Amino acid sequence: MRIFVTGAAGFIGFHLCRRLLDEGHVVDGFDGLTRFYDQGLKAERRALLEARNGFRLHVGMLENEGALAAALAAAKPEVVIHLAAQAGVRYSLESPRAYVGSNIVGTFNLLEALRENPPGHLLIASTSSLYGAGRHIPFVEHQHTDQPLTLYAASKKATEVMAHAHAHLWRLPTTVFRFFTVYGPWGRPDMAPLKFVNAIEAGRPIDIYNNGAMRRDFTYISDLVEAIVRLIQCVPRPAEEDVSDEPALSPVAPFRIVNIGRGAPVNLLDFIDEIEHQLGKRAIRNYLPMQKGDVPVTFADCHLLERLTGYRPQTGIQEGVAALVDWYRSHGPLQPA
Ligand SMILES: NC(=O)c1ccc[n+]([C@@H]2O[C@H](COP(=O)([O-])OP(=O)(O)OC[C@H]3O[C@@H](n4cnc5c(N)ncnc54)[C@H](O)[C@@H]3O)[C@@H](O)[C@H]2O)c1
């Protein structure tokens, strides 16, 4: 297939593109190579992708309608996977405007551009942050998500609802996935797993919010990619043609939302213990109160993913952290984000 991946030089996009290329697809990436975290890391991912047959990168910002239209016209994709976004919960407190540009205007531009030449399936990244401080645990796709705690979550809610309107109006089959704390090799140095590895190895203290009383549904990158690849085949049909009575499927559009998590939250302090164990080094721990906008627990209900794809993420933190640390040791230090 011809597949268009926005955010291809990002953490998840890079792994996804590699997997799609392994399977023989032709992949057009689109990425603005933004300055959010170590740009050298994006350049390295880009170079590895560009060395592969069947891949090319269109460098451009989603906000630039002309650049986006030209890339889509060249790619003529059958499937579009939209991962490019301003990510990060904490950064959204400092720089909320970046989220409006990339996630709201950027997603709107992509949706409009696809009206002309709709692909067979559009898949879009959203986030577990939308569940906010939801008391219903585990988080299930059809529970309400209209009380976001941060502008990051609010901008992803906007992404989801704009996509729903386009799916309804233009009959564009759309799957939204909500990811849960993804980690692994080539990860994001602004996120706790790699930030901790980077700091502990350099002998710098690590900040531990809410005094460590947090649980996260850590999801290992290759498990996440496996789930995405399987979901490409699960094209949502309009609810009136669907006999499954699935509550996450829209009653008025070929549109569904699917959690991709492991469904097994881990205590943050256990995760840090595992990093220390794998590095053979103790962390200097700086215990801090809860941060604004943060949530104490994330926990995915994975039944829908499993029902649709026959798969659910399996990699536990021992294996996942070992792979992260191995990669880090072969790669070397990163600029802290
Ligand atoms: N990593 C996680 O744990 C996680 C969790 C929940 C949701 N997500 C979502 O998954 C997607 C991918 O996340 P990631 O971790 O790979 O992040 P990332 O920051 O590594 O990748 C995003 C990529 O998009 C590009 N980009 C950002 N804004 C752009 C714009 N306006 N125009 C063009 N390119 C732009 C960046 O240069 C970057 O390469 C994002 O939508 C993110 O919100 C990630």
Side-chain angles (χ1 to χ4, degrees):
M1 284 193 290
R2 291 185 308 278
I3 304 184
F4 190 83
V5 178
T6 73
F11 167 39
I12 296 171
F14 165 70
H15 284 278
L16 176 66
C17 289
R18 286 215 296 193
R19 169 71 189 269
L20 295 172
L21 293 165
D22 288 344
E23 295 193 357
H25 299 295
V26 172
V27 180
D28 280 73
F30 183 87
D31 200 300
L33 305 170
T34 66
R35 290 177 182 278
F36 177 60
Y37 75 76
D38 194 328
Q39 278 198 302
L41 192 57
K42 287 182 193 174
E44 286 179 70
R45 297 185 191 125
R46 174 187 182 178
L48 286 170
L49 287 174
E50 286 184 331
R52 301 277 307 259
N53 282 334
F55 181 84
R56 66 183 154 170
L57 185 74
H58 306 264
V59 178
M61 293 295 284
L62 294 166
E63 291 88 327
N64 180 343
E65 291 162 64
L68 194 52
L72 283 165
K76 300 187 181 53
E78 294 151 275
V79 169
V80 173
I81 306 178
H82 178 38
L83 303 174
Q86 179 57 57
V89 172
R90 301 220 167 90
Y91 186 68
S92 73
L93 305 183
E94 287 164 40
S95 296
R97 197 170 290 279
Y99 294 73
V100 176
S102 290
N103 304 359
I104 301 181
V105 177
T107 301
F108 170 75
N109 284 346
L110 179 67
L111 292 168
E112 282 292 292
L114 294 178
R115 263 169 73 171
E116 296 295 314
N117 293 298
H121 194 183
L122 168 65
L123 301 101
I124 300 182
S126 184
T127 171
S128 62
S129 297
L130 269 183
Y131 294 111
R135 289 195 197 104
H136 179 103
I137 286 181
F139 300 148
V140 63
E141 291 87 349
H142 57 270
Q143 78 192 63
H144 85 87
T145 51
D146 45 11
Q147 293 168 345
L149 300 181
T150 61
L151 208 91
Y152 172 53
S155 70
K156 285 292 186 177
K157 182 73 188 179
T159 295
E160 292 190 357
V161 295
M162 288 190 297
H164 182 272
H166 268 69
H168 167 71
L169 290 170
W170 315 114
R171 297 274 130 193
L172 174 56
T174 302
T175 297
V176 167
F177 3 76
R178 293 187 182 145
F179 300 155
F180 288 69
T181 319
V182 189
Y183 72 103
W186 298 101
R188 278 192 12 222
D190 64 302
M191 287 182 65
L194 192 49
K195 192 161 79 172
F196 288 167
V197 171
N198 209 21
I200 296 170
E201 197 65 343
R204 287 195 306 272
I206 58 170
D207 290 342
I208 304 174
Y209 297 108
N210 205 27
N211 296 307
M214 301 244 230
R215 292 192 301 148
R216 287 290 178 271
D217 201 345
F218 291 103
T219 312
Y220 187 64
I221 182 67
S222 48
D223 290 0
L224 182 97
V225 166
E226 178 68 31
I228 295 176
V229 166
R230 288 179 184 230
L231 282 168
I232 293 173
Q233 306 301 332
C234 304
V235 184
R237 289 180 298 167
E240 60 270 18
E241 290 171 24
D242 192 278
V243 289
S244 67
D245 201 21
E246 176 196 311
L249 192 65
S250 165
V252 289
F255 175 97
R256 72 154 64 85
I257 296 177
V258 187
N259 286 337
I260 309 182
R262 185 162 167 254
V266 172
N267 290 323
L268 183 61
L269 296 180
D270 292 339
F271 195 85
I272 295 170
D273 287 349
E274 191 57 40
I275 294 176
E276 290 181 330
H277 171 70
Q278 297 288 346
L279 283 174
K281 223 171 185 170
R282 301 305 297 268
I284 306 165
R285 298 175 180 219
N286 185 22
Y287 289 100
L288 293 169
M290 188 74 161
Q291 277 237 314
K292 260 194 163 77
D294 224 341
V295 297
V297 60
T298 64
F299 185 171
D301 181 312
C302 303
H303 287 96
L304 178 59
L305 174 67
E306 202 168 0
R307 191 146 59 81
L308 291 170
T309 64
Y311 176 78
R312 64 183 291 166
Q314 295 293 340
T315 306
I317 60 162
Q318 279 185 326
E319 201 185 327
V321 171
L324 172 64
V325 166
D326 272 359
W327 169 78
Y328 181 83
R329 290 227 151 115
S330 65
H331 180 274
L334 294 156
Q335 259 180 36

